[in-house]
Amino acid sequence: MLSEPDDYRLTSTGTGLSLIKKSKAITNPKRHFHPWWEILYIYSGERTFFYANRTLHITEGTFLCIAPGILHRAVNPAGEVCGLYNVFFADDGNSLSQNDGRYSLVRPILESLNPCIPLTAENHRQVAVLFSQLGKELLSKNLGYGAVAWAKIIEILTLAARQKAQSPGKILLPDEATDPKTAAVLDYLNANYTCELTLEAVARRFNVSPAHLSRLFKKTTHFNFVEYVNSLRISKACRLLTSTQDSVLNIALACGFGSVTQFGRCFKELTGTSPLKYRKQ
């Protein structure tokens, strides 16, 4: 039987799925989001992770479900290492079609999941085995490997969903290291990012100096103020591009950008492509 390597990266499988395994993942310093669903499973070690607007510390046996257009990245402190499996519902950088029959089976499960689910010890063991089996199938490319791979994915998601039904698991909240003032600012920005925002105006609102807020914000989120606000705006733009037929100009204005030029530049920086190309993915 084919043995599973410690590390591999399968991003062109012919199945509509991409799978990455890292035995000693350290960090992914680039903030990003994408138009496809992603699931991340920590099978050993620990990781500090930024999701949407919160930093959380996750440990062995944690299952993350990341929806399209959600800003995220690993921000591991020095010395923090984990083993992980990473599945993208995309193949060779292309999202699954909304009409794909395989996708229609798993999408309701994905949408039902909490973003962060610490698995029970029993489910942790089962999910670790299933991910290993998934990897072996995709590596082997034996007859029917695509069907088997999707069966493994469905089983993994069902285990996580049924655990959620029994116990809500961990809700994403600021971790202990998150400064309360910064957490309040994050909540404010997430509610008002389409408005005109400056560091100075937000600092006045929360009765701190711009320099102090800037330091706290960077320490907590690993973003500077402008980066974070633009990331929220681009995240909304991604959702509008894929769910509406609005023009790029109207979407840029609705998301808080002053011009299409500024919007296009920020969009490409965060997604690696143009708004029109993103819409076609």
Side-chain angles (χ1 to χ4, degrees):
M1 180 181 290
L2 177 70
S3 61
E4 185 190 19
D6 290 336
D7 299 90
Y8 51 83
R9 187 180 186 89
L10 307 174
T11 55
S12 183
T13 66
T15 67
L17 300 168
S18 297
L19 175 64
I20 298 169
K21 181 187 178 186
K22 296 180 181 178
S23 59
K24 295 181 180 179
I26 300 174
T27 187
N28 178 7
K30 185 178 180 182
R31 67 198 190 281
H32 66 286
F33 38 77
H34 34 68
W36 47 76
W37 284 90
E38 173 185 351
I39 55 176
L40 175 66
Y41 175 63
I42 307 299
Y43 68 82
S44 67
E46 58 185 333
R47 168 160 278 205
T48 301
F49 201 78
F50 185 87
Y51 180 94
N53 67 340
R54 292 292 183 262
T55 301
L56 60 153
H57 183 252
I58 53 180
T59 55
E60 178 179 328
T62 302
F63 187 92
L64 287 170
C65 185
I66 303 164
I70 296 294
L71 180 68
H72 59 281
R73 77 172 176 188
V75 287
N76 298 40
E80 196 174 86
V81 181
C82 71
L84 61 81
Y85 288 98
N86 210 183
V87 174
F88 301 102
F89 289 81
D91 198 345
D92 203 21
N94 296 309
S95 302
L96 286 168
S97 166
Q98 298 290 322
N99 299 319
D100 189 301
R102 300 166 300 183
Y103 185 50
S104 66
L105 285 174
V106 300
R107 184 175 178 180
I109 307 176
L110 289 166
E111 292 175 344
S112 76
L113 290 171
N114 286 328
C116 181
I117 305 173
L119 299 178
T120 64
E122 180 182 356
N123 283 346
H124 170 35
R125 289 190 294 270
Q126 290 185 57
V127 167
V129 170
L130 287 167
F131 269 109
S132 178
Q133 292 172 343
L134 170 63
K136 290 176 183 178
E137 284 294 330
L138 293 177
L139 286 163
S140 73
K141 294 194 174 182
N142 288 331
L143 180 65
Y145 76 97
V148 175
W150 275 94
K152 299 297 180 187
I153 286 291
I154 291 170
E155 192 170 356
I156 289 167
L157 293 175
T158 301
L159 273 171
R162 288 179 176 175
Q163 177 176 303
K164 177 210 167 189
Q166 297 165 6
S167 172
K170 179 178 179 180
I171 305 300
L172 288 182
L173 296 170
D175 70 1
E176 294 176 357
T178 303
D179 175 78
K181 181 77 73 174
T182 312
V185 171
L186 286 169
D187 287 336
Y188 177 75
L189 295 181
N190 274 265
N192 296 280
Y193 62 87
T194 59
C195 304
E196 183 177 349
L197 294 169
T198 65
L199 176 66
E200 291 73 20
V202 174
R204 283 197 302 272
R205 183 180 184 88
F206 288 90
N207 299 313
V208 295
S209 72
H212 180 63
L213 179 59
S214 180
R215 286 193 298 271
L216 281 177
F217 199 86
K218 183 72 173 180
K219 179 182 178 181
T220 303
T221 69
H222 300 266
F223 297 89
N224 66 43
F225 181 87
V226 173
E227 284 178 332
Y228 186 76
V229 171
N230 283 340
S231 295
L232 292 175
R233 291 170 173 170
I234 296 298
S235 181
K236 179 176 182 178
C238 288
R239 295 193 294 273
L240 292 176
L241 284 166
T242 55
S243 64
T244 75
Q245 294 301 313
D246 289 352
S247 69
V248 171
L249 172 60
N250 286 342
I251 288 174
L253 296 176
C255 293
F257 288 99
S259 70
V260 172
T261 301
Q262 180 195 21
F263 172 57
R265 183 176 64 251
C266 290
F267 194 94
K268 188 165 187 179
E269 178 186 348
L270 283 171
T271 67
T273 189
S274 70
L276 288 176
K277 289 182 178 178
Y278 186 96
R279 172 171 265 169
K280 293 176 182 178
Q281 287 184 316

